[in-house]
Amino acid sequence: MDSEGENSVYLNSPVSAADNFSDGDIRRTTTSSAVQQTLFLIHSDDPTLKVQAAKEIRRLTKTSQRYRRHFSNAVKPLVDMLRSESFESNEAALLALLNLAVKDEGNKINIIDAGALEPIVGFLQSENAILQDHATAALLTLSASPATKPIISASGVFSLLVEIIRHGSSQAKADAVMALSNLSTYQDNLLSILRAQPIPSTVSLLKSCKKSSKTTERCTALIESLMCYEEGRSSLISEDGGVLAVVEVLESGSAQSREHAVGALLTICQSDRAKYREPILREGVIPGLLELTVQGTAKSRTKAQTLLRLLRDTPYPRSELEPDTLENIVSSLISQIDCEEQSGKAKEMLAEMVQVSMEQSLRHLQQRALGFV
């Protein structure tokens, strides 16, 4: 019953002891009563009552950090429900644990310590798509904690997540690549992740999702981190459309995705310019890099300019008569582009870049003249 309904009951009832309580006291009493009753049910031996309690915990903790704290004592019985042979118990417990873990570091750690990881990893291999989806979402949430990453990594979960990126539902694929991205930030994991061969399935997902989406951002973040190793670089280059998928994100992704995309390409080119320069140029990267030098984040602009220098015929200035300005670097690159369409687009972008640069310089001079700089 909503608060207005509760107030109307008291207004239409005889004066009682309840009139001595404030609204806040009543709400706290009601909350405490609901929590205690639900905790009592989740600890019962009746499977039906336990499912009912798990569903109530899920409902109450969906948006409330306060309830997540109140129900921290429910973690152990919920984890026990994951080992039940009942689908209804498994699903109710997974969803309740998922909500308990959201934005709550303590609950994340408690869930892992209570032994939830083994059944959750088991559900990743389940033929039941619903349990697989819920388990992937739970693993994504749990993997956000620095304290749990080493433990999750030791469970051998990488190959299972890659398999879900290949064959899971659309939501499970997105959750799996985000979980891998979370785990990739733990440095010791990168080689283990690479052994699971994530590049082909990640590139396939990258091609299919919206370039402005969070999934694209996490795909490119994962790819960028894996480019630190030759296994990752050669896998991306050899994957059909792999470099092109990254270039397309560089052109039309979100600001963060574009930063990861240019970072990935820069890492590749810096590792072995002679080997990787041509495969990157071949995918028409110049227009996107030009745009980044003008419109990207500070990191993107720096990385784009560095990559443009590496992609030119020689990464060094040719003479004192041809200074190493961005315009000269790009002009040199444009002269090497075989495709007429790419060359034309690059020239248009260069003209726009020069125009913007001139406007920025003019504004700077005006500000100096006015004493603002």
Side-chain angles (χ1 to χ4, degrees):
M1 184 180 296
D2 59 26
S3 59
E4 290 184 1
E6 289 175 352
N7 288 339
S8 65
V9 169
Y10 287 113
L11 285 171
N12 293 315
S13 62
V15 175
S16 68
D19 294 321
N20 295 322
F21 291 89
S22 69
D23 288 346
D25 291 332
I26 293 169
R27 281 194 295 272
R28 281 191 291 273
T29 302
T30 304
T31 296
S32 177
S33 175
V35 169
Q36 292 305 316
Q37 181 180 4
T38 305
L39 286 173
F40 176 78
L41 294 178
I42 200 68
H43 283 91
S44 74
D45 294 327
D46 187 326
T48 302
L49 292 179
K50 290 173 80 73
V51 168
Q52 177 185 330
K55 290 180 177 178
E56 182 67 1
I57 291 171
R58 179 200 179 193
R59 184 184 71 82
L60 292 172
T61 57
K62 186 174 183 180
T63 58
S64 171
Q65 191 64 35
R66 181 165 54 98
Y67 273 118
R68 289 174 194 138
R69 290 282 82 221
H70 286 326
F71 283 115
S72 58
N73 290 335
V75 166
K76 184 64 171 66
L78 285 169
V79 169
D80 291 340
M81 289 173 68
L82 296 180
R83 300 187 177 91
S84 166
E85 294 183 2
S86 162
F87 164 77
E88 191 176 16
S89 291
N90 295 158
E91 181 182 35
L94 265 175
L95 293 173
L97 288 168
L98 175 58
N99 281 0
L100 281 169
V102 172
K103 297 180 180 179
D104 194 303
E105 187 76 5
N107 280 345
K108 286 183 177 73
I109 294 170
N110 289 340
I111 290 168
I112 294 294
D113 288 346
L117 192 55
E118 183 181 352
I120 288 174
V121 170
F123 293 141
L124 292 179
Q125 305 169 74
S126 173
E127 293 182 2
N128 187 307
I130 295 174
L131 288 180
Q132 188 180 85
D133 286 3
H134 295 334
T136 308
L139 201 62
L140 164 60
T141 301
L142 293 171
S143 67
S145 166
T148 63
K149 287 177 184 180
I151 303 170
I152 295 173
S153 304
S155 69
V157 75
F158 302 129
S159 59
L160 297 176
L161 289 172
V162 170
E163 189 64 20
I164 289 172
I165 298 173
R166 286 195 193 106
H167 302 299
S169 68
S170 57
Q171 185 59 55
K173 287 179 179 181
D175 289 346
V177 81
M178 290 183 188
L180 268 184
S181 179
N182 282 346
L183 294 170
S184 73
T185 62
Y186 185 65
Q187 187 64 31
D188 293 347
N189 284 343
L190 289 176
L191 282 173
S192 298
I193 292 173
L194 276 170
R195 280 193 283 270
Q197 299 182 340
I199 297 291
S201 53
T202 302
V203 167
S204 178
L205 180 59
L206 189 58
K207 290 176 181 177
S208 67
C209 57
K210 291 182 178 178
K211 297 298 177 281
S212 59
S213 68
K214 190 71 174 177
T215 303
T216 290
E217 181 182 320
R218 301 307 284 272
C219 282
T220 49
L222 177 60
I223 288 171
E224 181 184 17
S225 64
L226 296 176
M227 293 306 100
C228 296
Y229 294 92
E230 180 57 29
E231 295 95 322
R233 296 189 289 269
S234 59
S235 179
L236 183 68
I237 295 295
S238 62
E239 181 64 24
D240 185 29
V243 175
L244 178 59
V246 176
V247 169
E248 288 175 343
V249 174
L250 185 146
E251 291 177 336
S252 54
S254 67
Q256 196 61 49
S257 295
R258 298 176 83 186
E259 190 173 301
H260 289 309
V262 71
L265 296 174
L266 178 59
T267 300
I268 294 171
C269 200
Q270 284 177 326
S271 71
D272 191 335
R273 179 181 173 277
K275 181 177 180 180
Y276 293 121
R277 174 178 170 272
E278 284 301 325
I280 294 173
L281 274 175
R282 195 161 51 235
E283 300 301 349
V285 71
I286 302 303
L289 288 176
L290 281 174
E291 187 175 340
L292 273 187
T293 63
V294 178
Q295 299 179 356
T297 63
K299 286 184 179 179
S300 294
R301 291 197 300 271
T302 301
K303 290 178 179 180
Q305 290 174 12
T306 304
L307 183 53
L308 282 168
R309 289 187 176 91
L310 287 171
L311 291 175
R312 68 186 296 181
D313 192 32
T314 170
Y316 307 106
R318 294 180 181 179
S319 71
E320 293 181 2
L321 297 177
E322 187 181 10
D324 197 11
T325 64
L326 188 55
E327 290 86 351
N328 284 336
I329 292 169
V330 177
S331 295
S332 171
L333 281 165
I334 292 171
S335 68
Q336 301 166 45
I337 298 175
D338 294 329
C339 174
E340 185 175 338
E341 181 181 349
Q342 286 185 21
S343 179
K345 186 175 181 182
K347 288 176 181 176
E348 290 177 9
M349 291 294 300
L350 176 58
E352 180 182 337
M353 182 189 71
V354 172
Q355 179 64 31
V356 170
S357 179
M358 289 174 64
E359 290 173 357
Q360 290 174 342
S361 298
L362 181 59
R363 282 198 298 271
H364 185 70
L365 289 171
Q366 290 172 337
Q367 290 173 343
R368 287 184 65 183
L370 293 172
F372 293 144
V373 179

